Amino acid sequence: MYDSNKFNDSQFAEFLLSKKLTRPGTEKFFVHWVRLFFQKREKWPNLKWYDQLSIYSEELQKSCRLNDWQITQAEQSVRLYFTVFLKEKEPFNPSAELK
């Protein structure tokens, strides 16, 4: 079992490729977004990952350097890491739309 407080970048990349969740060569972008999330989440230690994800997304949106599709990819990467790779539950929020 993996530790949800530590990012397993190489295992995550291998998982994405073995499950065919991304094309070879693009896994590095998914890993990048999750690595960045883990760097930033230290600022919000008392929050669950899915609450941290909301703040992370807001910070990415404030960055003028990113396109909307990149923010969407970052959000999806973090969700994939926690819900598919780590098999953690995310509370159901009917108003939240997966982009």
Side-chain angles (χ1 to χ4, degrees):
M1 178 124 187
Y2 298 109
D3 180 359
S4 64
N5 293 312
K6 183 180 176 201
F7 180 45
N8 300 295
D9 54 357
S10 61
Q11 293 100 336
F12 182 53
E14 290 173 22
F15 176 81
L16 291 170
L17 293 172
S18 70
K19 299 294 182 185
K20 297 184 179 5
L21 296 172
T22 187
R23 294 183 318 272
T26 61
E27 76 282 356
K28 63 186 173 192
F29 300 109
F30 289 81
V31 169
H32 164 76
W33 294 122
V34 180
R35 184 180 297 123
L36 183 60
F37 173 77
F38 270 83
Q39 291 169 357
K40 293 191 175 280
R41 77 185 296 219
E42 293 175 0
K43 296 189 279 185
W44 321 294
N46 297 324
L47 298 176
K48 300 284 188 190
W49 72 266
Y50 40 82
D51 295 323
Q52 293 171 335
L53 178 57
S54 297
I55 299 168
Y56 174 63
S57 294
E58 288 173 19
E59 284 193 0
L60 292 177
Q61 289 170 359
K62 290 177 186 174
S63 171
C64 297
R65 300 173 289 133
L66 298 175
N67 295 314
D68 289 343
W69 70 265
Q70 291 171 301
I71 295 167
T72 299
Q73 186 182 61
E75 293 170 351
Q76 291 177 336
S77 299
V78 172
R79 280 195 175 92
L80 263 174
Y81 182 77
F82 282 97
T83 63
V84 179
F85 181 67
L86 294 181
K87 295 182 170 80
E88 290 191 9
K89 300 268 187 226
E90 181 177 8
F92 176 69
N93 181 354
S95 64
E97 180 182 335
L98 184 61
K99 300 172 190 156

